[in-house]
């Protein structure tokens, strides 16, 4: 481990341990209304919804899988630009800002698929990428709204636009058509399924409705660090490799989409929609702090971010 990262890695590890432990001490939101489209009618998940121990174990498993996937992808791709431990630490930090994130929800498998979908997108496997993102939307319905935008992004600038468009569209439609055909043949309720899916996809609920001062302070700290990270990225954009530049541009678009989903759906009690924004933010933060950790401004921002997370968590026990 490089010396300049050692202190901050240990500090983040201690903070994450505290956030994880205290998350289990805070009563979670009601996950009873959580609906997983892909499993609807196939498996009864009411046992998991009603059993905190089962939800806690599954949540820990999925959070670990996401973190390991993020670590593997960062190590195998651009570890000279993104310090892998930072990517994982910032993802977990932003995720654990919501105590309910330690308990399993439909977002967890969706984010895991989203991680690998992004990786396939980076290595130019457009069909596989769109297939995984479409499957993610079958776990968490609001992800439906990002599919057309991702399709446009995948086609824009491609040398063979028609071929890429057909591959991307095929990847999106295959899981959807498969589940609709299966439901029609097995349950004869394809139309009802579509109606219920769209109902959940449009179940808007803003987190600002019940936001307290500490929550707003955390959001402002994360937003300020994100804006500074994006500004830093643009100043160094052309000094990076082509693949790094591609990743950073993709993550900025993902931040916009993930943040939009957060503000539209994070008010749904028990659903940690902040995880959708945590993934791209973690990559941008990792890039910024990896190349700028010795700067005084970066140290101050990191301290403020950690303090905001600690204060927000302590607020739950006051």
């Amino acid at each position: 481990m490089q010396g300049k990262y050692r202190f901050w890695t240990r500090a983040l590890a201690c903070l994450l341990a505290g956030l994880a432990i205290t998350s289990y001490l805070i009563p979670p939101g009601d996950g009873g209304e959580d609906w997983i489209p892909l499993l609807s009618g196939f498996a009864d998940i009411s046992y998991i919804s009603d059993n905190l121990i089962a939800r806690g174990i599954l949540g820990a498993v999925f959070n670990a899988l996401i973190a390991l996937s993020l670590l593997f992808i960062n190590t195998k791709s651009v570890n000279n630009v993104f310090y892998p431990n930072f990517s994982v630490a910032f993802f977990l930090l932003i995720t654990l800002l919501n105590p309910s994130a330690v308990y399993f929800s439909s977002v967890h498998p969706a984010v895991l698929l989203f991680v690998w979908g992004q990786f396939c997108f980076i290595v130019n496997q457009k069909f596989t990428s769109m297939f995984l993102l479409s499957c993610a939307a079958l776990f968490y319905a609001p992800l439906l709204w990002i599919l057309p935008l991702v399709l446009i992004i995948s086609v824009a600038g491609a040398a063979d636009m028609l071929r890429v468009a057909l591959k991307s569209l095929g990847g999106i439609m295959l899981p959807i058509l498969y589940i609709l055909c299966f439901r029609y043949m097995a349950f004869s309720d394809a139309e009802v399924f579509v109606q219920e899916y769209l109902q959940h996809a449009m179940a808007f609920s803003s987190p600002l409705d019940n936001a307290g001062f500490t929550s707003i302070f955390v959001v402002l700290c994360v937003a300020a660090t994100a804006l500074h990270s994006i500004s830093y990225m643009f100043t160094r954009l052309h000094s990076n490799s082509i693949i790094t530049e591609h990743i950073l541009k993709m993550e900025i678009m993902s931040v916009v989409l993930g943040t939009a989903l957060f503000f539209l759906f994070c008010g749904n009690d028990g659903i940690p929609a902040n995880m959708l924004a945590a993934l791209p933010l973690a990559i941008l933060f990792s890039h910024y702090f990896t190349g700028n950790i010795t700067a005084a401004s970066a140290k101050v921002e990191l301290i403020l971010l950690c303090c905001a997370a600690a204060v927000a968590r302590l607020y739950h026990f006051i």
Side-chain angles (χ1 to χ4, degrees), residues 56-130:
I57 293 173
L58 276 177
V61 169
F62 272 94
N63 284 331
L65 287 174
I66 296 168
L68 290 173
S69 298
L70 199 55
L71 183 66
F72 174 82
I73 292 170
N74 273 257
T75 303
K76 290 295 182 180
S77 54
V78 284
N79 58 346
N80 61 321
V81 178
F82 303 91
Y83 184 47
N85 290 356
F86 274 175
S87 299
V88 173
F90 286 123
F91 170 77
L92 292 175
L93 175 62
I94 299 171
T95 293
L96 292 174
L97 289 175
N98 185 343
S100 296
V102 297
Y103 296 100
F104 176 78
S105 70
S106 57
V107 176
H108 286 82
V111 171
L112 181 60
L113 289 169
F114 199 86
V115 170
W116 286 103
Q118 279 202 344
F119 175 71
C120 293
F121 192 94
I122 292 169
V123 297
N124 207 31
Q125 296 180 8
K126 297 295 177 64
F127 177 84
T128 306
S129 173
M130 296 302 163

Side-chain angles (χ1 to χ4, degrees), residues 230-265:
I230 293 172
S231 175
Y232 174 80
M233 185 214 75
F234 279 116
T235 61
R236 301 287 301 274
L237 191 61
H238 298 297
S239 62
N240 294 314
S241 65
I242 295 176
I243 187 172
T244 301
E245 182 178 336
H246 181 57
I247 291 172
L248 291 171
K249 289 180 178 178
M250 180 184 67
E251 296 304 342
I252 289 178
M253 291 183 285
S254 298
V255 165
V256 174
L257 297 175
T259 303
L261 289 175
F262 168 74
F263 280 104
L264 288 174
F265 296 99

